[in-house]
Amino acid sequence: MSKTADRVTQFTAEQIKTLSLRLKQRKADRGATPPAIVRVPRTETLPLSFAQQRLWFIDRLSGGGDAAYNVPVAVRLTGALDVAALAAALTEIVRRHEVLRTTFPTVSGAPVQRIHDAHPVPVPVTDLSHLSVVEREQAARELAAEAVMRPFDLSADSLLRASL
């Protein structure tokens, strides 16, 4: 006998009947039309997803001000850069992705999501051109390290920061 046949013989007739019914129901469910996704108004406070609750809890447990869950990205750009175009592109990304416009204040002791209207993303520029190439590289690394370690205030801050 095969391993599968050995396993099947371990079930009672009632268990086999129940499993058979469940499998038929699953096949029927696959063919069913899923319910429509309904957009909820963004004017109300919304509950957090389980993942958001977990991160909010960890943030509160650490006393806030922890940069452990920051996702830093550093990019070296060469050539001419249109800072206004970069800021406009980041602003459009934030406009399209409401999670980047969401804050997590506490209301009556419980966290909620507040999705804000789109807003321009500031891109502050630090001019290091007065430094030598070696000093400029070192200063840029130090500024990047400071930015990475700066925590977000989940109750008030935008969840995206940029700097040049």
Side-chain angles (χ1 to χ4, degrees):
M1 267 192 189
S2 71
K3 288 182 181 181
T4 304
D6 287 341
R7 289 185 189 141
V8 170
T9 58
Q10 295 173 359
F11 293 111
T12 66
E14 186 62 32
Q15 289 172 321
I16 292 172
K17 183 178 174 184
T18 302
L19 287 171
S20 178
L21 288 172
R22 284 186 182 172
L23 286 172
K24 286 178 186 175
Q25 183 60 46
R26 285 187 72 191
K27 286 181 183 178
D29 288 346
R30 284 189 198 138
T33 304
I37 297 174
V38 179
R39 183 175 173 88
V40 297
R42 299 311 197 233
T43 55
E44 306 169 12
T45 56
L46 304 169
L48 275 62
S49 70
F50 292 123
Q52 290 169 328
Q53 287 176 21
R54 184 176 61 248
L55 289 173
W56 180 88
F57 177 77
I58 291 169
D59 182 67
R60 292 295 173 243
L61 187 65
S62 70
D66 187 359
Y69 287 93
N70 287 7
V71 181
V73 176
V75 179
R76 181 182 297 271
L77 303 171
T78 57
L81 174 65
D82 185 339
V83 177
L86 175 64
L90 292 173
T91 296
E92 180 61 14
I93 290 168
V94 169
R95 186 192 68 76
R96 290 181 182 211
H97 299 281
E98 61 188 18
V99 69
L100 297 173
R101 297 183 273 118
T102 303
T103 57
F104 304 92
T106 303
V107 175
S108 301
V112 295
Q113 313 184 44
R114 284 213 179 109
I115 301 169
H116 303 276
D117 292 334
H119 59 280
V121 174
V123 182
V125 177
T126 303
D127 184 2
L128 302 175
S129 62
H130 63 283
L131 300 173
S132 71
V133 174
V134 173
E135 292 171 325
R136 194 175 329 158
E137 184 72 25
Q138 181 62 32
R141 288 182 190 280
E142 288 171 5
L143 288 169
E146 288 171 16
V148 165
M149 297 311 298
R150 195 171 71 225
F152 287 89
D153 176 356
L154 297 181
S155 67
D157 288 347
S158 172
L159 298 180
L160 175 88
R161 286 192 297 242
S163 61
L164 292 171

